[in-house]
């Protein structure tokens, strides 16, 4: 299991750095990771079967306000290799994946808490106009920290098996898990507040509230809301361009 343990540790670290977000978001899914794990362990068919079962848990996963409800990547990287090596069924793999996914949430919340230190360091470099220092605080240091926090988890879990994972989960104090659950519950509000801060222009706020209450009242899906939002954006851009061209023509006529 040494080879797959090293692979899952490195894979987890790289995928969670979110470098090339669209690609890492797709590659970190349990079904995709199952292919590589199956190749390493010599049983691609069974790995894909287990990966597909685990993937079902996270099909509709949405990190609202940057709050991760479950870590699909960690769940797949631990549940699939252990299930393959122990001869578990897909149902047993799912049972293992659920607590592991929750463990990934706590790990991510700890990472975000520690990263606040780098944010304040970056603020000081920004005041001094030190671009290199800003890059170090925003990219280099968080990436290094991420390695030491992420690599050991799947590596040790796959080295020592399902019993070690379960024993670790049972040893985590209740006050710690409940504390991170409360902190995690505040993250969506913070995420929406940051979104409002970015788009908080007077002319855009009506669109935000119309979209928000439309989703609440109509209960449309995220995909349907995205299509609706794109259509509204295209309409706004079309009318804005026509208005701009009309203003230019009027200015040219007055000048002539």
């Amino acid at each position: 299991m040494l080879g797959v343990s090293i692979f899952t540790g490195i894979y987890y670290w790289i995928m969670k750095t979110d470098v090339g977000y669209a690609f890492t978001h797709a590659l970190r899914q349990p079904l995709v990771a199952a292919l590589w794990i199956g190749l390493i362990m010599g049983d691609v068919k069974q790995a894909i079967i287990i990966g597909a079962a685990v993937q079902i848990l996270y099909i509709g996963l949405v990190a609202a306000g940057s709050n991760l409800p479950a870590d699909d990547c960690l769940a797949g990287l631990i549940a699939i290799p252990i299930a393959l090596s122990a001869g578990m069924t897909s149902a047993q793999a799912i049972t293992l994946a659920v607590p592991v996914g929750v463990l990934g949430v706590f790990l991510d919340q700890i990472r975000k808490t520690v990263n606040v230190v780098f944010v304040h360091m970056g603020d000081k470099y920004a005041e001094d106009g030190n671009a290199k220092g800003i890059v170090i605080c925003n990219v280099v240091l968080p990436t290094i920290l991420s390695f030491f926090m992420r690599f050991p988890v799947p590596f040790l879990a796959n080295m020592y098996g399902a019993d070690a994972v379960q024993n670790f989960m049972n040893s985590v104090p209740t006050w710690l898990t409940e504390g991170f659950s409360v902190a995690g519950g505040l993250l969506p509000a913070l995420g929406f507040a940051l979104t409002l801060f970015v788009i908080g222009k007077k002319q855009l706020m009506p669109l935000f509230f119309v979209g928000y209450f439309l989703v609440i009242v109509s209960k449309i899906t995220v995909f349907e809301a995205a299509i609706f939002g794109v259509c509204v954006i295209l309409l706004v851009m079309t009318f804005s361009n026509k208005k701009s061209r009309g203003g230019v023509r009027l200015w040219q006529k007055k000048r002539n």
Side-chain angles (χ1 to χ4, degrees):
M1 292 290 287
L2 178 61
V4 74
S5 297
I6 295 175
F7 168 77
T8 53
I10 295 176
Y11 194 84
Y12 184 49
W13 169 57
I14 294 176
M15 293 301 106
K16 298 300 285 188
T17 57
D18 284 336
V19 176
Y21 179 78
F23 296 101
T24 54
H25 183 75
L27 293 175
R28 75 189 187 197
Q29 299 302 312
L31 186 57
V32 179
L35 172 62
W36 315 120
I37 294 171
L39 289 172
I40 295 173
M41 300 185 69
D43 193 350
V44 176
K45 179 180 178 181
Q46 187 61 23
I48 294 295
I49 292 173
I50 296 172
V54 175
Q55 182 69 65
I56 294 174
L57 297 172
Y58 307 108
I59 286 179
L61 190 67
V62 177
S66 191
N67 179 43
L68 194 69
D71 193 333
D72 51 348
C73 183
L74 184 63
L77 291 175
I78 292 180
I80 297 170
I82 290 178
L84 276 178
S85 62
M88 294 181 179
T89 64
S90 298
Q92 292 172 325
I94 291 175
T95 303
L96 177 62
V98 172
V100 171
V102 175
L103 173 63
V105 175
F106 298 145
L107 185 65
D108 194 61
Q109 290 169 354
I110 294 173
R111 179 189 63 82
K112 290 177 179 178
T113 302
V114 177
N115 273 349
V116 172
V117 176
F118 303 141
V119 173
H120 292 304
M121 290 173 59
D123 289 339
K124 293 180 180 179
Y125 284 122
E127 291 176 357
D128 298 335
N130 189 337
K132 184 178 180 180
I134 295 174
V135 172
I136 292 175
C137 292
N138 284 276
V139 180
V140 179
L141 294 180
T143 303
I144 295 174
L145 173 67
S146 178
F147 176 81
F148 287 104
M149 293 188 68
R150 300 204 186 273
F151 176 85
V153 179
F155 175 80
L156 295 174
N158 287 313
M159 280 293 293
Y160 296 102
D163 292 337
V165 174
Q166 191 60 51
N167 291 335
F168 175 79
M169 293 297 297
N170 293 335
S171 66
V172 177
T174 304
W175 63 266
L176 182 61
T177 57
E178 291 181 351
F180 279 116
S181 296
V182 173
L186 298 175
L187 289 178
L190 176 61
F192 284 117
L194 291 173
T195 302
L196 284 173
F197 179 78
V198 173
I199 67 171
K201 297 180 180 179
K202 293 181 179 180
Q203 63 268 30
L204 297 179
M205 293 306 296
L207 294 176
F208 174 82
F209 287 109
V210 167
Y212 175 79
F213 287 107
L214 176 65
V215 172
I216 296 298
V217 173
S218 64
K219 296 181 180 180
I220 59 177
T221 65
V222 174
F223 182 72
E224 293 168 342
I227 294 176
F228 179 79
V230 170
C231 293
V232 171
I233 291 172
L234 292 175
L235 288 173
V236 170
M237 291 177 62
T238 299
F239 286 115
S240 297
N241 291 335
K242 288 183 178 179
K243 185 177 180 181
S244 298
R245 287 195 296 268
V248 171
R249 293 193 189 100
L250 181 61
W251 177 79
Q252 290 176 341
K253 289 180 179 178
K254 290 183 177 179
R255 186 178 179 182
N256 294 332

